[in-house]
Amino acid sequence: MQSFFVSLPQAAALWLLLLLAIAVAATLAAIPTRAPAPPLTGPQADALRFAGEVAVAAERAAATAARRRAEWAAAQEQVDAAWQAFDDADRLARESRRAAAYPLMSRRRKPGENVDRQRYLHHAATAACRRREISIAQLNDVLAHRGWNPRLHPVVQEGLLRAAVRAHRLSEYEDAQKREQAAWHESELAADALRSLRAEAAAALVRAGVAGPVVADDQWFADQWTSTEVPAMAKAAA
C-alpha cells in the first residue's frame, strides 16, 4: 500500500508530460506547411545574379551621391559667406565715398610727406592682403603704383583701398557661385546614376521573377529621382 501512494505522483507527472506532448503535436500539425519554391531557371538565375551586381554598384553610387550632395551643401554655405563678405565690403566702400564728398584742405606739404604717404599706402595694402581682403595681384599693382597714386592723402587712399576690397569680395562671390553651380551639376549627375542603377536592379529582379521589398513611405521614391523631379511623377513611373 505504501508503494502505491509513493508512485501516484510519478503517474500524475507522466500524464502531464503525455498531455503536453499531445498539445505540441497538435499545434505543429495545425501550422500550414510551405511548399518549397521551384528551382530557378537559367535566365532567372542570370538575372538574379545581375541584379545583385547592380545592387552593389547602386550602393556605391548612393555613397557617391551622398558625398556630392554634401559638397553641394558646403558650396552653398561658401556662397552665403562670400555674399556676406561682399555686402560688408560694399557698405564700407559706400561710407568712404560719402566721406570723400567733403574736400580736404589744400596746404603746402612738408618735406618728406610724399614718402610718408607712399609708406602708408604700401603698409595698408600689405596688411589688407595678409587679411585676404585684396588679392596678391592687387597688392602688386599697389606696390608698383599701377593705377595708384602714392602721393594722395591717406584718407583718399583708404577709400581707394576699400573700393579694391569691394572688387575682390565681388570676384570671390562670383567664383563661389561658379563652384556651387558645378557642385550642383555633379550632385545631379550622381543622383541620376543612382536612380538608373536602382531601376536596372529592380528590372532584373522582375525578369528573375523575384518580388522586391515593398516600402510604404515616400523616402524610397524620393531616392529614385533627382531633386528637380516631382515625387508624384516618380510614383507613377514606379
Side-chain angles (χ1 to χ4, degrees):
M1 181 66 67
Q2 185 178 1
S3 62
F4 174 78
F5 286 106
V6 170
S7 62
L8 186 60
Q10 298 176 354
L14 180 61
W15 275 105
L16 289 176
L17 290 176
L18 290 175
L19 290 176
L20 181 60
I22 293 172
V24 171
T27 303
L28 293 177
I31 297 177
T33 58
R34 186 173 182 179
L40 296 176
T41 63
Q44 286 179 328
D46 293 339
L48 191 60
R49 188 182 308 107
F50 176 74
E53 295 174 356
V54 176
V56 173
E59 291 181 359
R60 297 174 181 172
T64 301
R67 185 172 65 255
R68 298 301 186 192
R69 184 166 293 273
E71 293 173 355
W72 178 33
Q76 287 179 313
E77 294 179 356
Q78 292 176 0
V79 169
D80 295 338
W83 170 257
Q84 184 61 48
F86 165 73
D87 188 58
D88 295 339
D90 181 65
R91 176 177 50 81
L92 293 176
R94 285 186 280 108
E95 291 177 356
S96 297
R97 286 199 303 267
R98 287 194 296 267
Y102 299 95
L104 298 174
M105 294 181 61
S106 177
R107 59 178 179 81
R108 179 183 293 273
R109 299 178 185 176
K110 297 178 181 179
E113 186 173 355
N114 288 336
V115 177
D116 294 337
R117 291 184 177 186
Q118 177 177 317
R119 186 181 298 110
Y120 168 79
L121 174 62
H122 292 179
H123 176 76
T126 303
C129 185
R130 289 175 178 172
R131 295 192 299 267
R132 298 184 179 181
E133 295 177 348
I134 62 175
S135 65
I136 296 179
Q138 289 175 306
L139 176 61
N140 291 334
D141 290 339
V142 172
L143 298 179
H145 305 157
R146 289 190 294 264
W148 292 81
N149 185 359
R151 292 186 294 272
L152 295 178
H153 194 277
V155 174
V156 179
Q157 300 287 13
E158 182 67 23
L160 295 176
L161 280 174
R162 289 186 177 182
V165 172
R166 179 188 182 279
H168 179 60
R169 295 304 189 193
L170 179 59
S171 178
E172 287 184 329
Y173 171 68
E174 292 173 348
D175 292 341
Q177 278 188 317
K178 293 177 182 178
R179 290 192 299 269
E180 187 271 337
Q181 292 174 359
W184 174 83
H185 181 67
E186 293 295 331
S187 177
E188 290 297 301
L189 290 179
D192 288 341
L194 174 60
R195 179 187 62 181
S196 177
L197 287 172
R198 285 178 172 174
E200 191 173 359
L205 289 177
V206 172
R207 290 194 300 269
V210 180
V214 178
V215 182
D217 55 82
D218 295 338
Q219 185 61 39
W220 184 86
F221 295 100
D223 290 341
Q224 313 307 308
W225 306 91
T226 63
S227 58
T228 58
E229 293 171 308
V230 182
M233 296 175 60
K235 291 183 180 180

